[in-house]
Amino acid sequence: MTQCASHYQTLEVSPHATQTEIKEAYRRLVKQYHPDSFNCEANHEKIVELNTAYEVIRDPQRRRIYDRQLQKSQSYNSTQRQQRTTAAQNSYHQEQRSRKAADAHLKRWHKEVYVPVNRLIGKILQPLDSRIKDLAADPFDDSLMADFQAYLTESRQYLTKAQQTFTAQPNPAKVASVAANLYYCLDRIGDGLDELDWFTMNYDDRYLHTGKELFRIASRLQQDAQGIVQS
């Protein structure tokens, strides 16, 4: 905000100027700005400002009152500037602390949530094709089916651990989209395991195909999350 000029500034004199100096400055400026002077700087509003300023500081008593008011105003403005400076510094330091805290949270989340959850997801998704291939040799072989069921049981244990790890701490806002992909990935894995469980009970290939499709979707969601982290 632009501050109004003081009467001393208007008359182009020092606050310590003598009455003689003030009078001489006033006459010089009136001559310079007077409309009848035919000067290119002639300005009626400037003359009004000069008259107002001179009327105040040419009178010793009015000048003393004005000086006290001016001093208070300058002190107040200085205090305001100090307060604004302090507030700006505090805001900057708070922002720095918040940024450091956010960075630390992000690193901790990546190390304690993102990495272990991805590792557990991999233990579930990666073996599926080879497990189905082994079972395809003879789905009605009890030994092969038992191995497949053992894989599903182990996968549920991995899924439970991944879900617990994922919900152990809130995700940083910066990686909200990553967390969303992981959340839906885990959800699709759970649905896929349900479908595969049904297949082991009734040998209906529809459940097997649906389970594989849900795992494929889960794999894509995991890849999407990884792509965001690496970008």
Side-chain angles (χ1 to χ4, degrees):
M1 183 181 294
T2 304
Q3 296 181 357
C4 295
S6 71
H7 292 332
Y8 295 105
Q9 291 171 326
T10 299
L11 293 172
E12 299 180 4
V13 296
S14 164
H16 306 292
T18 65
Q19 291 296 327
T20 301
E21 291 172 334
I22 292 171
K23 183 182 292 187
E24 290 176 352
Y26 171 70
R27 286 176 174 172
R28 174 178 58 80
L29 292 171
V30 167
K31 182 179 179 181
Q32 179 179 348
Y33 292 105
H34 199 283
D36 295 337
S37 66
F38 301 106
N39 192 315
C40 63
E41 294 180 316
N43 188 320
H44 176 72
E45 291 183 0
K46 185 68 174 177
I47 293 297
V48 172
E49 291 176 5
L50 290 170
N51 288 339
T52 301
Y54 185 63
E55 283 296 319
V56 172
I57 63 175
R58 74 182 181 88
D59 180 272
Q61 184 175 358
R62 294 183 67 183
R63 182 179 179 182
R64 281 195 297 270
I65 295 173
Y66 176 75
D67 286 346
R68 286 197 295 269
Q69 293 173 338
L70 185 62
Q71 186 176 11
K72 287 181 181 179
S73 175
Q74 290 172 340
S75 176
Y76 176 74
N77 290 334
S78 177
T79 301
Q80 280 192 319
R81 284 194 297 271
Q82 264 185 338
Q83 290 174 340
R84 286 195 296 268
T85 300
T86 301
Q89 290 174 340
N90 290 340
S91 177
Y92 171 77
H93 292 312
Q94 179 62 37
E95 184 179 347
Q96 290 294 99
R97 287 192 294 268
S98 297
R99 184 178 292 113
K100 288 180 181 179
D103 289 343
H105 182 199
L106 179 60
K107 289 179 181 179
R108 186 171 63 253
W109 185 85
H110 184 274
K111 178 181 178 181
E112 299 177 5
V113 176
Y114 176 78
V115 172
V117 167
N118 266 283
R119 185 166 58 246
L120 291 165
I121 289 173
K123 289 183 177 182
I124 299 170
L125 297 180
Q126 291 172 7
L128 179 64
D129 288 342
S130 62
R131 295 294 186 178
I132 291 178
K133 183 178 180 181
D134 292 341
L135 184 63
D138 185 358
F140 297 98
D141 184 287
D142 290 341
S143 176
L144 293 178
M145 181 59 74
D147 288 342
F148 189 72
Q149 288 174 320
Y151 156 69
L152 295 181
T153 298
E154 187 177 42
S155 293
R156 285 208 179 272
Q157 293 171 350
Y158 290 144
L159 176 61
T160 298
K161 188 174 181 180
Q163 290 170 329
Q164 291 172 343
T165 303
F166 181 76
T167 57
Q169 56 179 280
N171 63 273
K174 190 174 182 180
V175 289
S177 57
V178 176
N181 280 322
L182 288 182
Y183 172 83
Y184 289 117
C185 174
L186 295 173
D187 191 60
R188 295 295 88 80
I189 288 174
D191 291 342
L193 289 173
D194 288 341
E195 294 294 317
L196 296 173
D197 272 336
W198 277 106
F199 169 74
T200 64
M201 290 186 285
N202 58 24
Y203 300 95
D204 189 332
D205 284 344
R206 289 178 300 176
Y207 294 108
L208 182 63
H209 293 319
T210 302
K212 288 176 61 178
E213 176 62 18
L214 287 167
F215 269 40
R216 187 189 67 79
I217 294 172
S219 179
R220 190 185 71 238
L221 288 165
Q222 183 190 30
Q223 291 172 4
D224 289 344
Q226 291 171 342
I228 297 171
V229 170
Q230 294 169 1
S231 63

